[in-house]
Structure formats: C-alpha cells, structure tokens
Short mmCIF file of all heavy atoms in Angstrom, two decimals:
data_model
loop_
_atom_site.label_atom_id
_atom_site.label_comp_id
_atom_site.label_asym_id
_atom_site.label_seq_id
_atom_site.Cartn_x
_atom_site.Cartn_y
_atom_site.Cartn_z
N LEU A 950 6.42 -5.50 0.02
CA LEU A 950 6.57 -6.94 -0.13
C LEU A 950 5.19 -7.48 -0.44
O LEU A 950 4.24 -7.21 0.31
CB LEU A 950 7.11 -7.57 1.15
CG LEU A 950 7.05 -9.10 1.23
CD1 LEU A 950 8.02 -9.72 0.23
CD2 LEU A 950 7.35 -9.59 2.64
N GLN A 951 5.05 -8.21 -1.55
CA GLN A 951 3.75 -8.72 -1.95
C GLN A 951 3.83 -10.24 -2.14
O GLN A 951 4.77 -10.74 -2.76
CB GLN A 951 3.29 -8.07 -3.25
CG GLN A 951 3.19 -6.56 -3.15
CD GLN A 951 2.77 -5.90 -4.44
OE1 GLN A 951 2.01 -6.47 -5.23
NE2 GLN A 951 3.22 -4.68 -4.68
N ALA A 952 2.86 -10.94 -1.58
CA ALA A 952 2.82 -12.40 -1.69
C ALA A 952 1.39 -12.84 -1.91
O ALA A 952 0.44 -12.20 -1.45
CB ALA A 952 3.38 -13.05 -0.43
N SER A 953 1.22 -13.94 -2.63
CA SER A 953 -0.13 -14.46 -2.87
C SER A 953 -0.09 -15.98 -2.87
O SER A 953 0.94 -16.61 -3.13
CB SER A 953 -0.67 -13.96 -4.21
OG SER A 953 0.12 -14.41 -5.29
N LEU A 954 -1.24 -16.55 -2.55
CA LEU A 954 -1.41 -18.00 -2.53
C LEU A 954 -2.73 -18.33 -3.21
O LEU A 954 -3.77 -17.75 -2.88
CB LEU A 954 -1.42 -18.51 -1.08
CG LEU A 954 -1.67 -20.01 -0.88
CD1 LEU A 954 -0.53 -20.83 -1.47
CD2 LEU A 954 -1.83 -20.33 0.62
N LYS A 955 -2.68 -19.24 -4.16
CA LYS A 955 -3.88 -19.59 -4.93
C LYS A 955 -4.11 -21.10 -4.84
O LYS A 955 -3.18 -21.90 -4.90
CB LYS A 955 -3.71 -19.18 -6.39
CG LYS A 955 -4.93 -19.48 -7.27
CD LYS A 955 -4.66 -19.15 -8.73
CE LYS A 955 -4.50 -17.67 -8.94
NZ LYS A 955 -4.38 -17.32 -10.39
N HIS A 956 -5.39 -21.46 -4.70
CA HIS A 956 -5.79 -22.87 -4.69
C HIS A 956 -7.07 -23.01 -5.50
O HIS A 956 -7.98 -22.22 -5.38
CB HIS A 956 -6.03 -23.36 -3.26
CG HIS A 956 -6.73 -24.69 -3.20
ND1 HIS A 956 -6.10 -25.88 -3.44
CD2 HIS A 956 -8.04 -25.00 -2.93
CE1 HIS A 956 -6.98 -26.87 -3.33
NE2 HIS A 956 -8.15 -26.36 -3.02
N ARG A 957 -7.14 -24.04 -6.31
CA ARG A 957 -8.33 -24.27 -7.12
C ARG A 957 -8.54 -25.78 -7.28
O ARG A 957 -7.60 -26.52 -7.59
CB ARG A 957 -8.19 -23.64 -8.50
CG ARG A 957 -9.41 -23.84 -9.41
CD ARG A 957 -9.13 -23.30 -10.81
NE ARG A 957 -8.99 -21.87 -10.80
CZ ARG A 957 -10.00 -21.01 -10.93
NH1 ARG A 957 -11.25 -21.47 -11.07
NH2 ARG A 957 -9.80 -19.72 -10.92
N ASP A 958 -9.76 -26.23 -7.05
CA ASP A 958 -10.13 -27.61 -7.37
C ASP A 958 -11.59 -27.63 -7.80
O ASP A 958 -12.19 -26.59 -8.08
CB ASP A 958 -9.84 -28.58 -6.23
CG ASP A 958 -10.64 -28.30 -4.97
OD1 ASP A 958 -11.74 -27.71 -5.08
OD2 ASP A 958 -10.19 -28.66 -3.88
N LYS A 959 -12.20 -28.82 -7.84
CA LYS A 959 -13.53 -28.96 -8.42
C LYS A 959 -14.58 -28.18 -7.66
O LYS A 959 -15.50 -27.59 -8.26
CB LYS A 959 -13.91 -30.45 -8.46
CG LYS A 959 -15.26 -30.72 -9.13
CD LYS A 959 -15.53 -32.21 -9.19
CE LYS A 959 -16.87 -32.50 -9.85
NZ LYS A 959 -17.15 -33.96 -9.93
N TYR A 960 -14.49 -28.15 -6.34
CA TYR A 960 -15.57 -27.57 -5.54
C TYR A 960 -15.23 -26.24 -4.89
O TYR A 960 -16.11 -25.58 -4.34
CB TYR A 960 -16.01 -28.56 -4.46
CG TYR A 960 -16.73 -29.76 -5.01
CD1 TYR A 960 -16.12 -31.01 -5.03
CD2 TYR A 960 -18.01 -29.65 -5.54
CE1 TYR A 960 -16.77 -32.13 -5.55
CE2 TYR A 960 -18.67 -30.75 -6.06
CZ TYR A 960 -18.04 -31.99 -6.07
OH TYR A 960 -18.69 -33.08 -6.58
N ASP A 961 -13.98 -25.83 -4.89
CA ASP A 961 -13.66 -24.57 -4.24
C ASP A 961 -12.40 -23.96 -4.85
O ASP A 961 -11.59 -24.65 -5.45
CB ASP A 961 -13.47 -24.76 -2.73
CG ASP A 961 -12.43 -25.81 -2.40
OD1 ASP A 961 -11.23 -25.54 -2.60
OD2 ASP A 961 -12.80 -26.91 -1.94
N ASN A 962 -12.28 -22.66 -4.68
CA ASN A 962 -11.05 -21.96 -5.06
C ASN A 962 -10.83 -20.80 -4.11
O ASN A 962 -11.78 -20.15 -3.65
CB ASN A 962 -11.07 -21.52 -6.52
CG ASN A 962 -12.16 -20.51 -6.82
OD1 ASN A 962 -12.00 -19.32 -6.54
ND2 ASN A 962 -13.27 -20.96 -7.39
N PHE A 963 -9.57 -20.54 -3.82
CA PHE A 963 -9.19 -19.50 -2.89
C PHE A 963 -8.04 -18.69 -3.48
O PHE A 963 -7.16 -19.23 -4.16
CB PHE A 963 -8.72 -20.08 -1.55
CG PHE A 963 -9.76 -20.87 -0.82
CD1 PHE A 963 -9.93 -22.22 -1.08
CD2 PHE A 963 -10.56 -20.28 0.13
CE1 PHE A 963 -10.88 -22.97 -0.40
CE2 PHE A 963 -11.51 -21.01 0.83
CZ PHE A 963 -11.68 -22.36 0.56
N LEU A 964 -8.03 -17.41 -3.21
CA LEU A 964 -6.91 -16.54 -3.56
C LEU A 964 -6.65 -15.64 -2.36
O LEU A 964 -7.52 -14.88 -1.94
CB LEU A 964 -7.22 -15.69 -4.80
CG LEU A 964 -6.15 -14.68 -5.20
CD1 LEU A 964 -4.83 -15.38 -5.53
CD2 LEU A 964 -6.61 -13.83 -6.38
N ILE A 965 -5.45 -15.74 -1.80
CA ILE A 965 -5.07 -14.95 -0.63
C ILE A 965 -3.89 -14.07 -1.01
O ILE A 965 -2.89 -14.56 -1.54
CB ILE A 965 -4.70 -15.85 0.56
CG1 ILE A 965 -5.88 -16.74 0.93
CG2 ILE A 965 -4.29 -15.01 1.77
CD1 ILE A 965 -5.56 -17.77 2.01
N GLY A 966 -4.01 -12.79 -0.78
CA GLY A 966 -2.94 -11.85 -1.09
C GLY A 966 -2.55 -11.05 0.14
O GLY A 966 -3.41 -10.64 0.94
N TYR A 967 -1.25 -10.85 0.32
CA TYR A 967 -0.75 -10.08 1.46
C TYR A 967 0.24 -9.03 0.96
O TYR A 967 1.10 -9.32 0.12
CB TYR A 967 -0.06 -10.98 2.48
CG TYR A 967 0.65 -10.22 3.58
CD1 TYR A 967 -0.07 -9.60 4.59
CD2 TYR A 967 2.04 -10.09 3.58
CE1 TYR A 967 0.57 -8.88 5.58
CE2 TYR A 967 2.69 -9.38 4.58
CZ TYR A 967 1.94 -8.77 5.58
OH TYR A 967 2.58 -8.05 6.55
N THR A 968 0.11 -7.80 1.45
CA THR A 968 1.02 -6.72 1.09
C THR A 968 1.52 -6.03 2.36
O THR A 968 0.72 -5.66 3.22
CB THR A 968 0.33 -5.68 0.19
OG1 THR A 968 -0.18 -6.32 -0.98
CG2 THR A 968 1.30 -4.59 -0.22
N TRP A 969 2.82 -5.90 2.44
CA TRP A 969 3.48 -5.15 3.51
C TRP A 969 4.19 -3.99 2.82
O TRP A 969 5.09 -4.22 2.01
CB TRP A 969 4.44 -6.05 4.27
CG TRP A 969 5.24 -5.35 5.35
CD1 TRP A 969 4.82 -4.34 6.16
CD2 TRP A 969 6.59 -5.65 5.74
NE1 TRP A 969 5.81 -3.97 7.02
CE2 TRP A 969 6.91 -4.76 6.80
CE3 TRP A 969 7.54 -6.57 5.31
CZ2 TRP A 969 8.15 -4.77 7.42
CZ3 TRP A 969 8.77 -6.57 5.94
CH2 TRP A 969 9.08 -5.70 6.96
N SER A 970 3.79 -2.76 3.09
CA SER A 970 4.28 -1.65 2.27
C SER A 970 4.41 -0.37 3.08
O SER A 970 3.92 -0.25 4.21
CB SER A 970 3.34 -1.42 1.09
OG SER A 970 2.06 -0.99 1.55
N LYS A 971 5.07 0.59 2.44
CA LYS A 971 5.18 1.94 3.01
C LYS A 971 5.27 2.93 1.88
O LYS A 971 6.09 2.79 0.96
CB LYS A 971 6.40 2.06 3.91
CG LYS A 971 6.48 3.38 4.67
CD LYS A 971 7.63 3.37 5.66
CE LYS A 971 7.64 4.65 6.51
NZ LYS A 971 8.75 4.63 7.51
N SER A 972 4.42 3.96 1.93
CA SER A 972 4.40 5.00 0.91
C SER A 972 4.61 6.35 1.59
O SER A 972 3.90 6.68 2.55
CB SER A 972 3.07 4.99 0.15
OG SER A 972 3.03 6.03 -0.80
N MET A 973 5.58 7.13 1.10
CA MET A 973 5.88 8.44 1.69
C MET A 973 5.99 9.48 0.58
O MET A 973 6.36 9.17 -0.55
CB MET A 973 7.18 8.39 2.49
CG MET A 973 7.15 7.45 3.68
SD MET A 973 8.56 7.67 4.78
CE MET A 973 8.20 9.30 5.47
N ASP A 974 5.64 10.73 0.93
CA ASP A 974 5.76 11.83 -0.02
C ASP A 974 5.63 13.14 0.74
O ASP A 974 5.46 13.15 1.96
CB ASP A 974 4.68 11.72 -1.11
CG ASP A 974 3.28 11.63 -0.53
OD1 ASP A 974 2.95 12.44 0.35
OD2 ASP A 974 2.51 10.74 -0.95
N ASN A 975 5.71 14.24 0.01
CA ASN A 975 5.47 15.55 0.64
C ASN A 975 4.18 16.18 0.13
O ASN A 975 3.99 17.38 0.24
CB ASN A 975 6.67 16.47 0.43
CG ASN A 975 6.91 16.77 -1.04
OD1 ASN A 975 6.28 16.18 -1.91
ND2 ASN A 975 7.83 17.68 -1.32
N GLY A 976 3.33 15.34 -0.44
CA GLY A 976 2.04 15.82 -0.91
C GLY A 976 1.32 14.78 -1.74
O GLY A 976 1.75 14.49 -2.85
N SER A 977 0.25 14.21 -1.21
CA SER A 977 -0.49 13.18 -1.94
C SER A 977 -1.99 13.41 -1.89
O SER A 977 -2.76 12.61 -2.39
CB SER A 977 -0.17 11.78 -1.39
OG SER A 977 -0.37 11.73 0.01
N ASP A 978 -2.40 14.51 -1.29
CA ASP A 978 -3.82 14.85 -1.19
C ASP A 978 -4.02 16.22 -1.81
O ASP A 978 -3.11 17.05 -1.82
CB ASP A 978 -4.26 14.84 0.27
CG ASP A 978 -5.74 15.14 0.41
OD1 ASP A 978 -6.56 14.24 0.18
OD2 ASP A 978 -6.08 16.29 0.76
N VAL A 979 -5.22 16.46 -2.32
CA VAL A 979 -5.49 17.73 -3.00
C VAL A 979 -5.30 18.91 -2.06
O VAL A 979 -5.00 20.03 -2.50
CB VAL A 979 -6.93 17.72 -3.59
CG1 VAL A 979 -7.97 17.66 -2.47
CG2 VAL A 979 -7.15 18.92 -4.49
N PHE A 980 -5.41 18.70 -0.74
CA PHE A 980 -5.26 19.79 0.22
C PHE A 980 -3.85 19.88 0.81
O PHE A 980 -3.58 20.76 1.63
CB PHE A 980 -6.28 19.63 1.35
CG PHE A 980 -7.71 19.73 0.89
CD1 PHE A 980 -8.52 18.61 0.87
CD2 PHE A 980 -8.24 20.94 0.47
CE1 PHE A 980 -9.84 18.69 0.44
CE2 PHE A 980 -9.55 21.03 0.04
CZ PHE A 980 -10.36 19.90 0.03
N ASP A 981 -2.95 18.96 0.43
CA ASP A 981 -1.60 18.98 0.96
C ASP A 981 -0.83 20.20 0.45
O ASP A 981 -0.91 20.56 -0.72
CB ASP A 981 -0.84 17.72 0.55
CG ASP A 981 -1.14 16.55 1.48
OD1 ASP A 981 -1.74 16.78 2.54
OD2 ASP A 981 -0.77 15.41 1.13
N SER A 982 -0.07 20.82 1.35
CA SER A 982 0.83 21.91 0.98
C SER A 982 2.17 21.69 1.69
O SER A 982 2.21 21.31 2.86
CB SER A 982 0.25 23.27 1.38
OG SER A 982 -0.96 23.52 0.71
N SER A 983 3.25 21.94 0.98
CA SER A 983 4.58 21.72 1.55
C SER A 983 5.04 22.93 2.36
O SER A 983 4.65 24.07 2.09
CB SER A 983 5.60 21.44 0.44
OG SER A 983 5.28 20.25 -0.24
N ASN A 984 5.87 22.66 3.34
CA ASN A 984 6.49 23.72 4.13
C ASN A 984 7.30 24.62 3.19
O ASN A 984 8.24 24.17 2.54
CB ASN A 984 7.42 23.07 5.17
CG ASN A 984 8.03 24.07 6.12
OD1 ASN A 984 8.37 25.18 5.74
ND2 ASN A 984 8.18 23.66 7.37
N PRO A 985 6.95 25.90 3.08
CA PRO A 985 7.64 26.76 2.11
C PRO A 985 9.09 27.06 2.48
O PRO A 985 9.88 27.45 1.61
CB PRO A 985 6.79 28.04 2.11
CG PRO A 985 6.14 28.05 3.44
CD PRO A 985 5.89 26.62 3.80
N TYR A 986 9.44 26.89 3.75
CA TYR A 986 10.80 27.17 4.19
C TYR A 986 11.70 25.93 4.16
O TYR A 986 12.89 26.03 3.92
CB TYR A 986 10.79 27.74 5.62
CG TYR A 986 9.85 28.90 5.79
CD1 TYR A 986 8.78 28.83 6.67
CD2 TYR A 986 10.01 30.08 5.04
CE1 TYR A 986 7.91 29.90 6.83
CE2 TYR A 986 9.14 31.15 5.19
CZ TYR A 986 8.10 31.04 6.08
OH TYR A 986 7.23 32.10 6.22
N ASN A 987 11.09 24.79 4.39
CA ASN A 987 11.84 23.54 4.42
C ASN A 987 10.94 22.42 3.90
O ASN A 987 10.30 21.71 4.67
CB ASN A 987 12.32 23.23 5.84
CG ASN A 987 13.18 21.98 5.91
OD1 ASN A 987 13.54 21.39 4.89
ND2 ASN A 987 13.52 21.57 7.13
N PRO A 988 10.84 22.27 2.57
CA PRO A 988 9.92 21.27 1.99
C PRO A 988 10.16 19.85 2.50
O PRO A 988 9.21 19.06 2.58
CB PRO A 988 10.20 21.37 0.48
CG PRO A 988 10.73 22.75 0.29
CD PRO A 988 11.52 23.05 1.53
N SER A 989 11.40 19.52 2.85
CA SER A 989 11.68 18.16 3.33
C SER A 989 10.98 17.88 4.65
O SER A 989 10.71 16.72 4.99
CB SER A 989 13.19 17.96 3.49
OG SER A 989 13.71 18.84 4.46
N GLN A 990 10.62 18.92 5.40
CA GLN A 990 9.92 18.72 6.68
C GLN A 990 8.50 18.25 6.45
O GLN A 990 7.87 17.69 7.35
CB GLN A 990 9.93 20.01 7.50
CG GLN A 990 9.35 19.83 8.91
CD GLN A 990 9.48 21.09 9.75
OE1 GLN A 990 10.43 21.86 9.60
NE2 GLN A 990 8.51 21.33 10.62
N SER A 991 7.98 18.44 5.24
CA SER A 991 6.62 18.00 4.93
C SER A 991 6.57 16.54 4.50
O SER A 991 5.49 16.00 4.29
CB SER A 991 6.02 18.88 3.82
OG SER A 991 5.90 20.22 4.24
N ARG A 992 7.72 15.91 4.34
CA ARG A 992 7.73 14.51 3.93
C ARG A 992 7.16 13.64 5.04
O ARG A 992 7.61 13.68 6.18
CB ARG A 992 9.15 14.07 3.59
CG ARG A 992 9.23 12.66 3.03
CD ARG A 992 10.64 12.39 2.49
NE ARG A 992 10.85 10.99 2.18
CZ ARG A 992 10.45 10.41 1.06
NH1 ARG A 992 9.82 11.12 0.14
NH2 ARG A 992 10.67 9.13 0.84
N ALA A 993 6.15 12.87 4.71
CA ALA A 993 5.45 12.06 5.70
C ALA A 993 4.74 10.91 4.99
O ALA A 993 4.86 10.75 3.77
CB ALA A 993 4.44 12.93 6.46
N LEU A 994 4.02 10.11 5.74
CA LEU A 994 3.25 9.03 5.15
C LEU A 994 2.23 9.58 4.16
O LEU A 994 1.64 10.63 4.39
CB LEU A 994 2.52 8.23 6.23
CG LEU A 994 3.39 7.44 7.22
CD1 LEU A 994 2.51 6.77 8.27
CD2 LEU A 994 4.24 6.40 6.50
#
C-alpha cells in the first residue's frame, strides 16, 4: 500500500511518502539456497 502527500507554496514544499509492504521469495540474496528436498520450506521474507 503506497500513499503520498505533497504541499508546495512560495516559501516551503513538502513531500511525504508512506509504504506498507511485504516481499517474500525463496531466494533474494546471492548466498540464498533453497531446500533441495522441499523448496517451499525456503519461502520466507
């Protein structure tokens, strides 16, 4: 979920962004290796 709020006038401007998220996989790092017997068990953040 992504939301932003922007304000601009003569003397100031603001930009505020908020993200609420979740990312999952069974390998996202160069050193990640999946469980060879049950790859689904390696699914994690």
